[in-house]
Amino acid sequence: MSNAMYNKMWHQTQEALGALLDKEPQKMIEPQRNQVFIFQTLATFYVKYVQIFRNLENVYDQFVHPQKRILIRKVLDGVMGRILELKNEMVELELTEFHYFDDILQDLKLAPQQLDIPIPKYFLKEKLEVIKGREKILAQILADSGIDTSDMKYPVKSIPFDEAVKLIQVAERARQGRLRALFMKQIYLQEYRAKQSKMLGKKVTDTWAAALRIQKVWRRFHQCKETEKLREEEMIFLGMNPPPLFNEVSATVIQAEKVDRLRNEVQIKHEEDYREALVTIKNDLKLIEGVDIKENLQDQIRHWFIECRNLTGTFPDYPDVEEGGSAIIFSDKTIQQVIEDIIANQEEEEKNKKKKKKKEKQPKKAKKQKKGTKEKNKEEDEKWKMSPSLFLPAMKEGCNAYKEIWMKKDESWNFSQDYDPELIKEEKRKELQSEIRIQVDELMRQELKNLKLAVDRERERPVKAGKKKDKKGKKGKKKEKKAKKDKDLTADRTIESLYKELVEEGLLIQALKVNLSDYIGEYSYLGTTLRQVSIEPMPSLLDVRQLITLYGIWPLGSAAVHEKAPLVKSLLLAGPSGVGKKMLVHAICTETGANLFNLSSSNIAGKYPGKNGLQMMLHAVFKVARQLQPSVVWIEDTEKTFYKKVPNAEKMNEPKRLKKHLPQILKLLKPDDRILIVGTTRRPFDAELQSFCKVYQKIILVPRPDYASRYVLWKQIIERNGGVLTSALNVSCLAKVTDGFTQGHIVKVVKDVLTDQRIRRQIHKPLTAVEFITAITSMNPVYKEEEESFKNWYAKTPLGKKRALAITGGSTEKAKDKGKRK
């Protein structure tokens, strides 16, 4: 796409966002009681914001104009935050983490794929050099300490000498047996041919009969091939089969990738030019306009002194530096407007004095009115109201800036989409004015003192200065107290030394290169239908993927979103083994460039012993995590930390070491700290539910794949491992038969079947479903009883209890009240 096309997309998206921002306050201000109507309104806004976000993210990634990118980035962060706020509102309203928008998608004429939430590319682009540098340091430390990551991925088990000899003997005997069988087959064929020749006795002399027979065979073979070809063409025409070159990368895609790379290079160049221009243009303005700005400010402030003296009879008090100096008085105002403000303030003071006198006379009437207002407030509280948004002002500012600057701007002169110098001049002129104003304020304060001494013979009062000192002294004492509470146990050590120690101890590990898009699945198309019949559907794999994006990747990737959005400090992934919990943890780190700390009970066993050692370990981990944020603290098999009863075999490892410390750590995490604690568990029912749910703020139940997800999984995993899908392979049958098996089972089976030899033989012998089915029969699936146990456990969690109450007839308000009491 060209710059013009992306500009058009941007203008259309900004118009859609402006219309949405105008509609939202009107619908959200009015209190409502109808829960269905409220959810439909929230969900509609959510879906529309997601569409706007998808377009803006695409535009921001492809634009090369540096000043436009700054504005789009501001709006993009605002839209991300607003989506998270709406998601939080829907969770509180429906009391579930998973929502289904089938009706809304039909009304808006959108496909389910358009609801997929992308991960902004700038998360990694802006930190690419930092991430690469950190990976080099980590690899160097691992190499120096003798820990080889390649050995960790592919561990080699040592075998005793006797067993190795037996294996070689078995392999050699098998080879000899195959050769003997081949030799015996050749002898048998020779004998068979000799017998046939004796039985016939003479050669066939009828050549016409032989030719006719050959023709019959050839015509049959040729017609079968033609029929297969016609059938294949018909299936492609109907859209039932993909075209022949469907999986091959086309020339247009290759060209588009080249254009993307060129755009990235131009983006970097334009950014560098823009940064240089910010400095040079400011210096030029300082030389040309600096003196004039200084004189104008001095004349303006002197005129203010004289006018105040004429109106009030005394010189005004000059605002302090902490208050903002003269900028408070003259912020985009002329001298006449300042004089009018002074007169208006005097009139307001007189009116306030009169009102106070009237209030003192009528205290009894006010009490009666208060009783009536309390009853009205109670009625209003029963109705649902939208909580105030922290991101709407930023989006409105961005939309206003777009309308003022870019909406009707003529850019015919700027074909290369480089920076606009006039906009930089406007921005830097304001900065220069504020810098010069600070210098002018110091001069004019002294001038005002001299005027007061000369005209009014006033002197400074030393009491105010003393009071200020006392206040400062009190503040200083408070700061000292806070400093005493927050002791730094490693004040004498550098971050580099702590980083190295944590890597050597195995607490800071290298995340696997896994993208969230590799977590394959399909949408749940029956979610809304099942809920209408009061049946709670199991979430699909793509629903889980969306929650990981919203709760994990977005807040960690954007500091602006993390500070203002609903704060998620901890996340729990619960599900049977093989559903991809560990993969999701590594995907969060890969997509955000986050550090990965492993505080699993098995990993910290025997490390940093004692209470002081544990305190030192946690201090070092979270100090490094804060300094090198974003960071993910992973606790694998986290149910062991909250065991109801520790098994005798695990008592030596002290699995419950972190149980008391985790709630304290969560309290210390602030909105500025982009740190996420992620726990994974396959047996959550072994843990104490109350303490478990206190630590983990969001609980995501990761299910086994349904039929649609299994169908997509089989296709994509076979193709990724070198398999070729043909009509001989019935993928639908595979997906149906493997009900209950997880992604881990499917990946293992595909890798076992598709060996190098089998991949080479695909041309002559296509893959069949039987090969995969025979390989998977030796594995144990996830039975319905196990899935039900996860459902029953989730129903006991705080959010699960509220949801169950709401479904069985209790209102959501009662459910919320019960959750608060507990």
Side-chain angles (χ1 to χ4, degrees):
M1 287 174 73
S2 62
N3 286 326
M5 292 296 289
Y6 283 112
N7 265 317
K8 187 179 178 182
M9 185 189 287
W10 181 40
H11 292 314
Q12 289 174 351
T13 307
Q14 284 290 157
E15 286 175 11
L17 180 61
L20 198 59
L21 290 173
D22 291 337
K23 285 180 184 176
E24 189 173 351
Q26 296 172 3
K27 290 195 176 182
M28 294 302 179
I29 287 170
E30 298 176 3
Q32 296 287 339
R33 285 184 180 177
N34 189 349
Q35 189 174 344
V36 177
F37 175 78
I38 295 163
F39 178 74
Q40 289 289 327
T41 308
L42 287 171
T44 305
F45 281 123
Y46 175 82
V47 172
K48 286 181 178 179
Y49 272 118
V50 168
Q51 302 312 305
I52 288 166
F53 171 76
R54 287 168 66 90
N55 291 335
L56 278 179
E57 197 278 323
N58 194 10
V59 168
Y60 180 76
D61 184 55
Q62 296 298 321
F63 260 15
V64 295
H65 198 298
Q67 288 152 307
K68 286 181 182 177
R69 279 170 60 81
I70 291 167
L71 178 60
I72 294 167
R73 173 67 180 275
K74 185 180 179 181
V75 177
L76 191 63
D77 286 341
V79 173
M80 284 166 67
R82 188 63 189 140
I83 289 170
L84 291 174
E85 286 179 338
L86 289 169
K87 177 68 179 177
N88 188 53
E89 289 288 337
M90 288 191 290
V91 170
E92 289 181 358
L93 184 71
E94 278 213 315
L95 305 172
T96 179
E97 298 289 353
F98 301 99
H99 310 287
Y100 303 99
F101 312 107
D102 302 345
D103 302 339
I104 295 157
L105 290 174
Q106 285 179 4
D107 294 340
L108 298 174
K109 296 180 181 178
L110 297 172
Q113 288 76 14
Q114 289 174 284
L115 202 60
D116 193 20
I117 299 168
I119 298 162
K121 297 178 186 72
Y122 74 83
F123 283 179
L124 292 178
K125 271 187 182 179
E126 293 179 358
K127 304 184 290 184
L128 200 59
E129 292 180 5
V130 178
I131 292 165
K132 284 181 179 178
R134 198 169 63 208
E135 284 177 354
K136 283 181 182 177
I137 294 165
L138 183 59
Q140 186 64 40
I141 294 167
L142 290 170
D144 293 342
S145 59
I147 303 167
D148 191 4
T149 52
S150 61
D151 291 343
M152 290 169 69
K153 287 179 187 176
Y154 306 103
V156 179
K157 293 181 180 179
S158 59
I159 302 172
F161 181 74
D162 295 337
E163 288 185 18
V165 170
K166 284 179 182 178
L167 284 172
I168 294 166
Q169 284 177 347
V170 168
E172 179 59 25
R173 285 169 185 167
R175 187 185 69 81
Q176 290 177 6
R178 284 194 296 270
L179 288 172
R180 194 181 297 110
L182 184 64
F183 180 66
M184 293 301 292
K185 186 178 180 182
Q186 289 173 354
I187 293 169
Y188 171 75
L189 287 172
Q190 285 176 2
E191 290 176 356
Y192 180 75
R193 285 171 193 148
K195 283 180 183 178
Q196 288 291 323
S197 60
K198 283 180 184 179
M199 285 172 67
L200 293 169
K202 60 179 181 178
K203 293 181 181 179
V204 180
T205 55
D206 193 356
T207 54
W208 287 102
L212 186 64
R213 185 170 291 181
I214 291 166
Q215 281 181 356
K216 283 180 181 179
V217 173
W218 166 249
R219 284 177 180 174
R220 180 178 174 278
F221 172 77
H222 182 69
Q223 188 59 45
C224 286
K225 287 290 179 186
E226 285 292 323
T227 307
E228 283 180 12
K229 189 179 176 183
L230 288 169
R231 189 183 290 114
E232 186 68 23
E233 286 175 359
E234 186 182 4
M235 295 298 278
I236 291 167
F237 176 74
L238 294 171
M240 300 297 287
N241 284 347
L245 301 175
F246 181 74
N247 294 322
E248 291 185 11
V249 181
S250 63
T252 51
V253 173
I254 294 165
Q255 183 62 28
E257 288 175 357
K258 285 181 181 177
V259 172
D260 284 347
R261 284 196 293 271
L262 288 170
R263 279 183 186 277
N264 290 336
E265 290 172 9
V266 174
Q267 273 180 7
I268 294 163
K269 185 178 177 297
H270 283 190
E271 286 286 342
E272 289 172 359
D273 294 343
Y274 176 66
R275 285 171 194 159
E276 289 175 6
L278 289 174
V279 178
T280 54
I281 289 172
K282 186 178 179 181
N283 292 333
D284 293 343
L285 283 172
K286 197 171 186 179
L287 289 170
I288 297 165
E289 300 180 10
V291 178
D292 293 337
I293 291 168
K294 188 174 182 180
E295 288 177 0
N296 289 334
L297 288 173
Q298 286 178 332
D299 293 341
Q300 193 181 34
I301 293 166
R302 285 193 188 104
H303 192 65
W304 174 57
F305 291 165
I306 295 161
E307 290 296 333
C308 283
R309 169 77 177 167
N310 293 336
L311 287 169
T312 59
T314 56
F315 285 109
D317 293 328
Y318 208 94
D320 295 331
V321 180
E322 295 171 357
E323 292 174 357
S326 59
I328 297 172
I329 301 160
F330 296 100
S331 57
D332 300 328
K333 290 181 182 179
T334 59
I335 296 164
Q336 291 179 354
Q337 288 174 338
V338 172
I339 293 162
E340 288 173 4
D341 289 342
I342 294 164
I343 295 163
N345 288 332
Q346 288 179 348
E347 290 176 357
E348 282 181 8
E349 285 177 4
E350 290 176 4
K351 285 179 182 178
N352 289 330
K353 287 177 183 178
K354 289 177 182 178
K355 283 179 181 178
K356 284 179 182 178
K357 288 178 182 179
K358 286 180 180 179
K359 283 180 181 178
E360 287 173 2
K361 290 177 182 179
Q362 297 174 347
K364 292 180 181 179
K365 289 181 180 179
K367 287 180 181 178
K368 289 179 181 178
Q369 287 174 354
K370 281 180 184 178
K371 288 180 182 179
T373 52
K374 282 181 182 178
E375 291 174 1
K376 287 180 181 178
N377 289 332
K378 284 180 182 179
E379 291 177 2
E380 287 178 0
D381 288 339
E382 289 176 1
K383 295 180 181 179
W384 180 88
K385 283 184 182 179
M386 182 74 172
S387 55
S389 173
L390 298 173
F391 292 95
L392 282 176
M395 285 192 287
K396 285 177 181 176
E397 282 178 21
C399 285
N400 292 333
Y402 161 76
K403 288 175 184 176
E404 291 171 8
I405 301 167
W406 301 106
M407 190 173 177
K408 296 180 180 178
K409 191 174 180 64
D410 182 20
E411 290 187 276
S412 55
W413 60 273
N414 193 6
F415 180 75
S416 62
Q417 290 291 292
D418 207 347
Y419 66 86
D420 190 341
E422 292 302 320
L423 291 174
I424 296 174
K425 282 180 183 178
E426 287 178 17
E427 184 186 345
K428 291 299 168 184
R429 196 175 278 117
K430 290 177 182 178
E431 281 184 23
L432 187 63
Q433 191 175 2
S434 61
E435 288 174 8
I436 293 170
R437 189 181 287 279
I438 293 165
Q439 299 171 6
V440 170
D441 283 350
E442 290 178 4
L443 295 170
M444 298 312 290
R445 278 193 192 91
Q446 190 61 41
E447 191 174 320
L448 183 62
K449 287 177 185 176
N450 296 336
L451 282 169
K452 285 181 178 180
L453 288 169
V455 179
D456 294 342
R457 294 180 183 179
E458 292 180 357
R459 293 182 181 179
E460 292 182 354
R461 295 180 181 177
V463 182
K464 288 182 180 178
K467 283 181 181 178
K468 284 180 183 177
K469 284 179 184 177
D470 292 338
K471 286 178 182 177
K472 285 179 183 177
K474 287 176 182 178
K475 285 179 182 177
K477 287 177 183 177
K478 285 179 182 178
K479 285 179 182 177
E480 284 175 9
K481 285 179 182 178
K482 285 182 180 178
K484 285 179 182 178
K485 286 180 182 178
D486 303 332
K487 286 183 180 179
D488 190 355
L489 300 175
T490 55
D492 57 336
R493 294 186 62 182
T494 60
I495 293 295
E496 288 77 10
S497 66
L498 289 171
Y499 185 89
K500 187 178 179 182
E501 182 185 325
L502 291 173
V503 172
E504 289 172 351
E505 290 290 338
L507 299 177
L508 200 159
I509 61 174
Q510 193 169 15
L512 301 174
K513 294 287 180 184
V514 181
N515 293 318
L516 193 65
S517 57
D518 296 332
Y519 191 75
I520 305 162
E522 189 54 271
Y523 292 90
S524 178
Y525 296 99
L526 294 173
T528 306
T529 310
L530 290 171
R531 280 194 175 170
Q532 286 172 355
V533 196
S534 299
I535 298 171
E536 190 62 23
M538 281 298 285
S540 69
L541 299 183
L542 283 191
D543 293 333
V544 173
R545 196 169 85 181
Q546 283 195 358
L547 288 185
I548 295 296
T549 305
L550 292 172
Y551 293 151
I553 294 171
W554 276 13
L556 287 178
S558 175
V561 172
H562 195 275
E563 285 175 13
K564 295 181 182 178
L567 191 59
V568 177
K569 297 179 182 179
S570 55
L571 193 66
L572 177 67
L573 304 175
S577 59
V579 293
K581 301 183 292 295
K582 184 179 176 182
M583 178 185 176
L584 290 170
V585 174
H586 287 281
I588 292 170
C589 297
T590 305
E591 297 289 0
T592 58
N595 298 289
L596 182 59
F597 298 87
N598 188 356
L599 293 186
S600 306
S601 58
S602 58
N603 192 43
I604 62 172
K607 298 172 184 177
Y608 297 92
K611 287 185 179 179
N612 294 332
L614 181 61
Q615 193 176 358
M616 180 63 75
M617 180 188 75
L618 292 172
H619 172 77
V621 166
F622 282 93
K623 185 178 180 180
V624 174
R626 281 190 180 91
Q627 289 292 325
L628 305 177
Q629 56 184 303
S631 299
V632 173
V633 179
W634 175 36
I635 306 173
E636 190 179 10
D637 295 330
T638 187
E639 77 280 355
K640 294 180 180 180
T641 311
F642 303 91
Y643 263 144
K644 294 174 184 174
K645 186 179 180 182
V646 181
N648 294 327
E650 295 184 27
K651 281 184 179 178
M652 292 293 290
N653 295 334
E654 297 181 30
K656 297 175 77 172
R657 287 178 77 190
L658 295 177
K659 184 180 177 182
K660 292 180 180 178
H661 295 274
L662 282 174
Q664 297 168 6
I665 290 164
L666 286 169
K667 285 179 184 177
L668 294 172
L669 291 179
K670 298 174 184 176
D672 298 338
D673 302 326
R674 282 186 291 156
I675 300 170
L676 182 68
I677 297 172
V678 183
T680 56
T681 176
R682 53 187 174 181
R683 293 191 60 81
F685 17 82
D686 290 347
E688 291 178 4
L689 189 64
Q690 193 174 359
S691 55
F692 205 40
C693 294
K694 276 183 182 178
V695 169
Y696 291 106
Q697 189 179 348
K698 294 286 182 182
I699 299 172
I700 300 173
L701 199 61
V702 186
R704 58 187 181 132
D706 54 3
Y707 169 77
S709 296
R710 287 195 304 276
Y711 185 83
V712 178
L713 274 164
W714 277 112
K715 284 180 74 175
Q716 294 202 21
I717 291 169
I718 288 169
E719 286 176 345
R720 286 183 186 184
N721 285 275
V724 178
L725 299 174
T726 61
S727 57
L729 178 61
N730 192 341
V731 181
S732 178
C733 173
L734 264 179
K736 196 74 178 172
V737 170
T738 54
D739 185 16
F741 291 95
T742 62
Q743 300 96 306
H745 292 133
I746 294 169
V747 170
K748 190 177 184 306
V749 166
V750 171
K751 284 183 178 178
D752 290 345
V753 171
L754 290 177
T755 58
D756 294 337
Q757 186 181 0
R758 185 66 188 90
I759 290 167
R760 287 195 297 271
R761 288 174 57 203
Q762 283 183 104
I763 301 166
H764 307 291
K765 187 182 177 183
L767 293 170
T768 58
V770 178
E771 296 177 68
F772 297 101
I773 291 168
T774 51
I776 209 168
T777 49
S778 59
M779 298 178 182
N780 292 321
V782 177
Y783 294 104
K784 285 186 178 180
E785 290 79 9
E786 188 176 351
E787 192 175 15
E788 286 298 322
S789 65
F790 276 99
K791 275 187 178 181
N792 295 334
W793 172 82
Y794 186 77
K796 294 174 185 176
T797 61
L799 195 65
K801 283 180 181 178
K802 293 176 188 177
R803 178 70 185 168
L805 270 174
I807 290 170
T808 51
S811 66
T812 53
E813 289 173 7
K814 287 179 182 177
K816 285 176 186 175
D817 293 338
K818 190 169 183 180
K820 285 177 184 176
R821 285 171 191 170
K822 290 186 179 180

